[in-house]
């Protein structure tokens, strides 16, 4: 079933805060591989999906393959596997080559070159991307598009077509040693920042018309500045705006839930070895919602 619903650049601008659609389109076209990276809660997945929709001009479920990456995903899932089947004629067991999600989607895109196709690889930092894609990773590069190669475990050549765009997301590396510089050759990099100061988010906040939410957001903005300068943390540990964008209307109970069940646990995780700092920020969050909950540290 095809879901066709027009999706314009204006729609993108109204939903995605802090990211210019023209810049993102240009970066995606430049290498046909774009990596959106940022702190948790900066809307990376949200942005990636809507970038694909805007490039298509519609919400198209047939031309977009979304894959949530994790450490359980294997090469066989993405590229090629060998399975045993019973030959329907000879009634004997035989080995059959099966294409995985990514390889199969590449073939689909190759057979319809008048259309644009998109693969969204969400959270690539949650897996070993080299093991997941094997030799195919080198053919992600724009200069290698349409070149045929024989994947491991296969005897048939395939290629990654030029009409296939790859949008990946990941959290910002938290240490210099975690930076994978080889990915810079394959992907154009784009950093997603917390969008609290953008016009779009401010309009969203005003529409909520909730005093407690305004106070809580102010605490988070101050906290992010502290996190950036705190030794052992830094910008990769900032708290993103998406925690506060779940609904157009929000109740005091909703604000309480965000504060106590989402933000406070993050604070306790960050400063578990610095109780004074932890207690200070937990207290500030609780004061922001103090008429809804008793103060507790």
């Amino acid at each position: 079933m095809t879901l066709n619903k027009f999706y314009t650049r204006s729609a993108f601008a109204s939903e995605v805060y802090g990211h210019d659609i023209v810049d993102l389109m240009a970066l995606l076209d430049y290498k046909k591989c774009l990596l959106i990276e940022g702190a948790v809660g900066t809307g990376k997945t949200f942005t990636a999906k809507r970038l694909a929709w805007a490039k298509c001009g519609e919400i198209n479920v047939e031309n977009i393959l979304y894959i949530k990456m994790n450490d359980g995903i294997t090469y066989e899932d993405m590229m090629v596997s060998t399975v045993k089947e019973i030959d329907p004629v000879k009634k004997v067991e035989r080995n059959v080559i099966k294409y995985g999600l990514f390889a199969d989607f590449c073939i689909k895109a190759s057979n319809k070159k008048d259309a644009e196709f998109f693969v969204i690889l969400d959270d690539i930092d949650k897996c070993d991307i080299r093991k997941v894609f094997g030799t195919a990773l080198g053919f992600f590069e724009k200069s290698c598009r349409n070149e045929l190669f024989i994947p491991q475990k296969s005897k048939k050549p395939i290629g990654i077509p030029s009409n296939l765009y790859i949008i990946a997301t990941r959290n910002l590396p938290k240490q210099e040693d975690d930076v994978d510089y080889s990915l810079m050759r394959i992907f154009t990099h784009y950093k997603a920042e917390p969008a609290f100061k953008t016009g779009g988010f401010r309009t969203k906040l005003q529409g909520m018309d909730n005093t407690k939410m305004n106070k809580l957001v102010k605490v988070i903005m101050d906290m992010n500045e502290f996190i950036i300068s705190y030794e052992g943390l830094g910008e990769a540990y900032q708290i993103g705006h998406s925690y506060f964008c779940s609904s157009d209307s929000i109740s005091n109970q909703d604000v309480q839930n965000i504060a106590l069940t989402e933000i406070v646990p993050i604070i306790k995780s960050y400063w578990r070895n610095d109780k004074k700092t932890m207690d200070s920020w937990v207290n500030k969050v609780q004061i922001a919602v103090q008429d809804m909950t008793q103060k507790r540290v």
Side-chain angles (χ1 to χ4, degrees), residues 30-91:
Y30 179 57
K31 287 190 174 182
K32 295 187 183 292
C33 290
L34 174 65
L35 176 58
I36 302 173
E37 54 185 2
V40 174
T42 48
K44 301 180 291 296
T45 304
F46 189 86
T47 301
K49 289 181 178 179
R50 280 151 185 78
L51 175 59
W53 295 347
K55 193 79 165 63
C56 282
E58 63 183 12
I59 300 173
N60 188 326
V61 297
E62 291 188 348
N63 288 34
I64 300 173
L65 174 64
Y66 172 81
I67 304 171
K68 184 75 171 179
M69 308 300 285
N70 59 72
D71 59 6
I73 288 182
T74 65
Y75 176 84
E76 289 75 15
D77 295 327
M78 290 294 101
M79 295 303 301
V80 180
S81 63
T82 302
V83 298
K84 294 186 181 297
E85 290 186 353
I86 302 297
D87 188 303
V89 177
K90 298 181 179 180
K91 306 299 181 182

Side-chain angles (χ1 to χ4, degrees), residues 14-15 17 46 50 200-210 213-214 217 241-255 257-258 262:
S14 69
E15 288 191 307
Y17 309 137
F46 189 86
R50 280 151 185 78
F201 180 81
R202 301 310 300 181
T203 299
K204 174 84 170 181
L205 199 60
Q206 290 172 7
M208 293 180 189
D209 192 25
N210 186 291
M213 177 61 89
N214 293 338
V217 167
H241 58 278
S242 64
Y243 288 99
F244 312 95
C245 296
S246 59
S247 177
D248 290 330
S249 60
I250 196 163
S251 67
N252 283 346
Q253 183 62 52
D254 293 330
V255 179
N257 291 340
I258 293 169
E262 298 194 66

Side-chain angles (χ1 to χ4, degrees), residues 283-294:
N283 189 48
K284 289 177 182 179
V285 167
Q286 291 178 335
I287 287 174
V289 294
Q290 63 183 349
D291 63 337
M292 293 174 286
T293 181
Q294 292 182 348

Side-chain angles (χ1 to χ4, degrees), residues 56 118 131 170 237 246 248 274 280:
C56 282
F118 301 82
K131 288 184 178 179
R170 73 174 180 187
Y237 290 84
S246 59
D248 290 330
D274 184 350
S280 174

Side-chain angles (χ1 to χ4, degrees), residues 120-166:
I120 299 174
L121 303 175
D122 198 17
D123 289 335
I124 63 169
D125 51 318
K126 301 294 194 301
C127 70
D128 186 335
I129 193 170
R130 284 171 180 73
K131 288 184 178 179
V132 169
F133 290 101
T135 55
L137 187 62
F139 292 87
F140 278 27
E141 293 188 40
K142 185 176 181 179
S143 61
C144 298
R145 294 303 181 88
N146 298 318
E147 290 186 19
L148 296 179
F149 63 96
I150 300 177
Q152 298 155 277
K153 299 188 178 182
S154 176
K155 297 179 180 179
K156 295 180 180 180
I158 65 170
I160 302 176
S162 57
N163 61 324
L164 179 68
Y165 295 85
I166 300 171

